[in-house]
Amino acid sequence: MADVALSKSGSSMRGLLSARRGRNRLDVSDWLTYGFLVLGLLIMFTPVAWVVLSSFKTQANLQEFPPSILPYSSETAMVGGFDQPLPLFDVTLKDGTKARLAQIRRVGRNAQMIDPENPGAGRVTVAVTDAVAVRKVRLATENYTNLVASSGQAMGRYVYNSLFITTVATIITLVMNSMAAFALSKYRFAGSSVALISILSTLMIPATVVLVPTYLIVAELGLVGNLWGVILPTVATPTGVFLLRQYMLTIPDELIEAARMDHASEWRIFWRIVLPLSSPALAVVAIFSILSRWNDFLLPLIVLNRREVYTLQLALNSFQSEFEIRYDLLLAMTTLTALPLACAFIFLQRYITVGVASTGIK
Amino acid sequence: MGIRARLAAIAGGIILLPARLAEPLMAGLQKILGIKRMPWVFLLPNLLAVMLFSLLPVAINVFYSVTGSDRLYPSERPFVGVVNYETLFDCTNYLDASTCSSDLFWRALANSLVFVPVQVTFMIGIALVAAVCLNREIRGRGFFRAIFFFPVMLSPVVVALTWQWILQRNGALNGVLTWLGVSPVNWLVFPNTAFFWSVFVTVWAHMGFYTIILLAGLQSIPRDVYEAAKMDSATNWRVFTRITLPLLKPVLLVVFVLCVIRSVQTFDELYVLTGGGPGSATMLIVQYIYEVGFAVQPRNFGLAAAASLLLGVVLLIFTGLQLRLSRNSQNG
């Protein structure tokens, strides 16, 4: 691929870009491709980056319009005679000189200021238009520390609940679905197509549509307010069975016959031969299971009715309704909730592409 | 030992422990039942879960739809017949939602009828272009693939809050507009713009999923077909319409069916982003079910169940039709 162009091209940048085409210039389709991808990059990524950046802004900074790109905070100074630190302003005085003053209070279009270096000089009245707040770039990490402090132990609890549900549900999903997929791909038996259809038909049933009856069943099992009440209804995913079955169909039956000759039990064949061979498909099912369990909202909202069993998503939602305009905490919480998956994603995204490609969605 | 190897070893240990315990049990079962019945043993846990949490709820839903009152437990619900269905279809003029006794249902239905085709068209169109671009030999391909898939990872609540934060009156978008000299807009206050953004945000959030599936489909197209086209010096557009699209058709069909089903089921993002508003401009059919069954007092489980069964039937017919069509096109 990189056999030409790099040496020929004068400018290294153009050489880099055109190296793969084996020519010295990019053709129209390349320009269109890069244009589309860069536009996509902007639209896909800036919103998330913006929220993360905003989560480091102070409350005052968040309420500004138009919003500043970087997180700023106003500088303040302690002035003798005042309990609170006062915000600093660069002021153009009436005689044209500039000074750095501290604002005591604002009345209409005028502000009362005082010189922080020399409080004895008395108060000055300044028009608001003549004063510019003194600001510097600063990450307001107190959004995060406040968040953890205000929720106390609860935050750890939410993280634990989310992790527990995600891990346990994913493991059960993988074992259960691969068992079913094994039965449906490696055996011929009466009723196999009925079983396959009844499993796949559940793909058609929107979770919201069967919400009331699902709640009823969970309640009858005595699992309301219990993490297992969220785990059990979601473990048998039809897509998982389908993906795994399609993949297992490609595993040659001779392998299984050979193992039977050696008197391996069916379970041993499943666990020691078929399962390891299906690992790419298992990885895909695992990733999608982790994603949907971690992000699930509606079922936990209904089943997990006590604060102690809240997941991160529920906590995030209750944050939004409890503190109406506490955007500083809300944005920090949003970032925290999305963070673990973002990290996992960096490691896993290669497997997603490769895995989906090899699981035979055709 | 590296961290990754150590983690793999720990994970392997956790998973293998119950397996070691299961092995003698399953071997014993096989002795009693014989090989012929083993597939049912493998199927049993899954079938039980499917019946308990998918098929049984549907049956209970049918029961709910023909019973009244706001009680949850079936024994406390009196039989009312088809009253719930009659309520849904009680209209003097079906084209005018305000003449219906459950006008919200017809508004939600009308919204869904616009939302689904528009969203699916944009979703598949953009995902296809993205997949074609990401399939080319370009610099930073892995990086771009990662970026396009990234929003799929985010939870609906996070997606909705992110865009709410950007679209609000003092948000980033209005900030950019002000900077460009355009006056700010209350994006989520007007029905038309709110509808636009509800399509935009849901496409934004789910496009990556379909891009990956289409990408997988593109990669399964044999290279030599393209080589042959190159020999004949076919244009890019011709290659795309004559080779890529026809060979991608089966995958496109899967994507299309999945996309429609999920589009009809759209709920979480819009519930947090617009709450169905302004008015009922972005309320879709699933949110209607949620509102009637859970949000509005007294809870009308019967009406919600009737509406959800209707939705289920429509989806079933649609999917059946798609499968029939695909089978015909594969035979012919």
Side-chain angles (χ1 to χ4, degrees):
Chain A
M1 292 287 172
D3 48 352
V4 275
L6 267 177
S7 52
K8 281 190 222 162
S9 173
S11 119
S12 64
M13 187 61 198
R14 252 178 64 183
L16 265 178
L17 287 172
S18 58
R20 284 182 175 261
R21 302 295 300 173
R23 267 179 254 132
N24 264 340
R25 59 184 184 82
L26 293 162
D27 67 7
V28 182
S29 62
D30 287 325
W31 283 113
L32 286 176
T33 304
Y34 279 111
F36 179 84
L37 290 181
V38 169
L39 187 72
L41 172 75
L42 284 177
I43 295 175
M44 288 300 177
F45 195 65
T46 11
V48 179
W50 178 248
V51 165
V52 174
L53 207 58
S54 299
S55 76
F56 286 104
K57 290 178 177 175
T58 60
Q59 213 168 358
N61 195 192
L62 284 172
Q63 279 158 3
E64 280 170 31
F65 185 82
S68 60
I69 292 175
L70 290 173
Y72 287 104
S73 65
S74 299
E75 280 204 62
T76 54
M78 285 303 294
V79 181
F82 296 92
D83 300 334
Q84 300 281 328
L86 301 175
L88 288 174
F89 283 81
D90 278 328
V91 181
T92 314
L93 292 171
K94 285 194 186 83
D95 55 4
T97 55
K98 301 200 173 195
R100 179 162 290 190
L101 299 180
Q103 177 177 292
I104 300 166
R105 72 168 79 87
R106 209 182 128 173
V107 187
R109 282 197 267 161
N110 290 317
Q112 285 202 324
M113 303 253 184
I114 195 164
D115 187 354
E117 304 296 326
N118 183 14
R123 299 174 181 194
V124 196
T125 303
V126 181
V128 175
T129 45
D130 292 335
V132 179
V134 178
R135 310 202 305 173
K136 60 172 191 283
V137 174
R138 190 180 70 88
L139 295 181
T141 44
E142 67 265 22
N143 291 349
Y144 289 89
T145 48
N146 285 348
L147 179 70
V148 176
S150 68
S151 60
Q153 298 252 297
M155 191 55 102
R157 192 88 219 150
Y158 303 145
V159 174
Y160 168 80
N161 290 337
S162 278
L163 274 178
F164 181 82
I165 290 171
T166 309
T167 325
V168 174
T170 300
I171 289 175
I172 297 179
T173 302
L174 286 181
V175 173
M176 226 173 180
N177 285 357
S178 54
M179 278 167 74
F182 176 60
L184 292 171
S185 62
K186 291 296 161 207
Y187 294 94
R188 282 169 217 285
F189 60 101
S192 67
S193 56
V194 175
L196 181 65
I197 288 170
S198 61
I199 289 174
L200 286 187
S201 68
T202 59
L203 191 68
M204 299 279 83
I205 306 169
T208 330
V209 166
V210 291
L211 205 58
V212 185
T214 304
Y215 180 76
L216 176 70
I217 291 168
V218 170
E220 283 290 299
L221 292 173
L223 293 178
V224 171
N226 188 318
L227 296 182
W228 287 96
V230 183
I231 293 172
L232 292 182
T234 54
V235 286
T237 53
T239 37
V241 176
F242 179 69
L243 275 178
L244 287 164
R245 176 180 172 270
Q246 293 302 98
Y247 195 85
M248 286 179 185
L249 283 174
T250 65
I251 298 174
D253 290 339
E254 290 80 13
L255 265 178
I256 291 163
E257 290 303 324
R260 282 206 185 113
M261 295 287 179
D262 294 342
H263 300 288
S265 73
E266 298 301 303
W267 176 262
R268 211 178 159 80
I269 292 172
F270 162 67
W271 197 267
R272 292 292 162 84
I273 297 174
V274 175
L275 218 49
L277 285 176
S278 315
S279 48
L282 283 172
V284 174
V285 176
I287 290 166
F288 283 125
S289 168
I290 291 170
L291 272 184
S292 52
R293 290 294 79 76
W294 182 269
N295 291 338
D296 201 3
F297 176 64
L298 197 56
L299 188 65
L301 181 69
I302 288 174
V303 172
L304 304 178
N305 52 3
R306 292 176 294 130
R307 278 213 154 263
E308 305 90 80
V309 287
Y310 268 16
T311 60
L312 271 175
Q313 308 295 340
L314 290 186
L316 179 58
N317 184 58
S318 71
F319 244 84
Q320 189 210 7
S321 40
E322 267 172 42
F323 311 95
E324 242 175 88
I325 315 187
R326 286 307 298 272
Y327 269 117
D328 49 344
L329 297 185
L330 183 64
L331 290 166
M333 183 84 179
T334 309
T335 308
L336 273 186
T337 312
L339 197 65
L341 282 185
C343 293
F345 174 68
I346 294 166
F347 292 104
L348 291 177
Q349 62 89 11
R350 268 185 307 157
Y351 300 98
I352 298 172
T353 335
V354 178
V356 173
S358 62
T359 42
I361 306 177
K362 280 170 196 159
Chain B
M1 197 154 67
I3 278 184
R4 215 176 259 198
R6 202 171 294 170
L7 280 177
I10 292 170
I14 293 171
I15 295 170
L16 282 180
L17 186 69
R20 219 164 268 162
L21 298 174
E23 215 165 291
L25 181 79
M26 296 297 269
L29 265 177
Q30 190 182 330
K31 252 177 213 147
I32 300 166
L33 297 170
I35 281 191
K36 282 247 155 34
R37 296 201 187 89
M38 279 311 281
W40 289 106
V41 176
F42 282 105
L43 267 178
L44 197 67
N46 210 300
L47 280 185
L48 273 181
V50 164
M51 275 173 198
L52 193 58
F53 292 108
S54 293
L55 301 181
L56 183 62
V58 173
I60 296 177
N61 234 7
V62 174
F63 175 80
Y64 272 125
S65 76
V66 292
T67 53
S69 94
D70 59 344
R71 297 305 183 87
L72 178 66
Y73 285 91
S75 58
E76 298 167 356
R77 297 179 61 85
F79 181 78
V80 294
V82 291
V83 167
N84 288 321
Y85 293 95
E86 275 173 3
T87 314
L88 286 181
F89 283 101
D90 179 20
C91 287
T92 39
N93 176 8
Y94 284 103
L95 295 177
D96 184 2
S98 54
T99 65
C100 300
S101 69
S102 47
D103 55 332
L104 214 51
F105 172 74
W106 291 91
R107 291 224 171 86
L109 192 67
N111 286 341
S112 286
L113 282 178
V114 181
F115 180 84
V116 172
V118 172
Q119 197 229 30
V120 169
T121 312
F122 277 99
M123 186 88 91
I124 296 185
I126 299 172
L128 185 61
V129 176
V132 169
C133 288
L134 292 173
N135 197 37
R136 296 174 62 115
E137 297 285 341
I138 47 162
R139 288 265 149 188
R141 195 163 63 165
F143 169 74
F144 280 118
R145 281 182 186 176
I147 290 298
F148 274 75
F149 188 76
F150 181 71
V152 179
M153 311 278 297
L154 301 174
S155 75
V157 185
V158 169
V159 167
L161 290 178
T162 298
W163 281 99
Q164 215 171 41
W165 173 240
I166 288 168
L167 296 175
Q168 58 159 332
R169 187 67 172 71
N170 288 340
L173 186 65
N174 280 334
V176 173
L177 283 184
T178 315
W179 182 68
L180 291 173
V182 184
S183 56
V185 182
N186 285 322
W187 295 108
L188 298 175
V189 173
F190 302 110
N192 286 339
T193 50
F195 197 84
F196 168 80
W197 284 108
S198 65
V199 173
F200 183 94
V201 171
T202 47
V203 170
W204 183 86
H206 298 294
M207 200 198 81
F209 177 74
Y210 302 102
T211 306
I212 291 288
I213 295 181
L214 287 172
L215 195 55
L218 285 175
Q219 285 175 345
S220 69
I221 298 175
R223 294 266 140 193
D224 43 352
V225 186
Y226 288 112
E227 298 293 327
K230 214 175 190 177
M231 294 284 184
D232 297 341
S233 57
T235 61
N236 281 328
W237 179 247
R238 223 176 144 73
V239 169
F240 179 71
T241 51
R242 294 298 169 85
I243 299 177
T244 309
L245 271 187
L247 288 175
L248 201 61
K249 218 168 113 188
V251 184
L252 270 174
L253 193 85
V254 172
V255 167
F256 180 68
V257 173
L258 268 182
C259 194
V260 170
I261 293 173
R262 286 173 62 167
S263 175
V264 174
Q265 296 176 20
T266 307
F267 171 73
D268 305 18
E269 286 98 349
L270 298 193
Y271 181 66
V272 182
L273 183 72
T274 65
S280 54
T282 58
M283 180 184 285
L284 302 184
I285 201 78
V286 171
Q287 195 185 337
Y288 169 79
I289 294 168
Y290 171 81
E291 299 273 330
V292 169
F294 291 91
V296 180
Q297 295 293 343
R299 298 169 163 198
N300 196 335
F301 293 136
L303 203 60
S308 56
L309 279 176
L310 284 178
L311 176 65
V313 168
V314 171
L315 279 180
L316 211 63
I317 293 172
F318 171 80
T319 320
L321 218 63
Q322 284 306 316
L323 290 178
R324 178 66 56 83
L325 278 177
S326 74
R327 205 166 295 157
N328 285 350
S329 70
Q330 269 168 10
N331 290 343

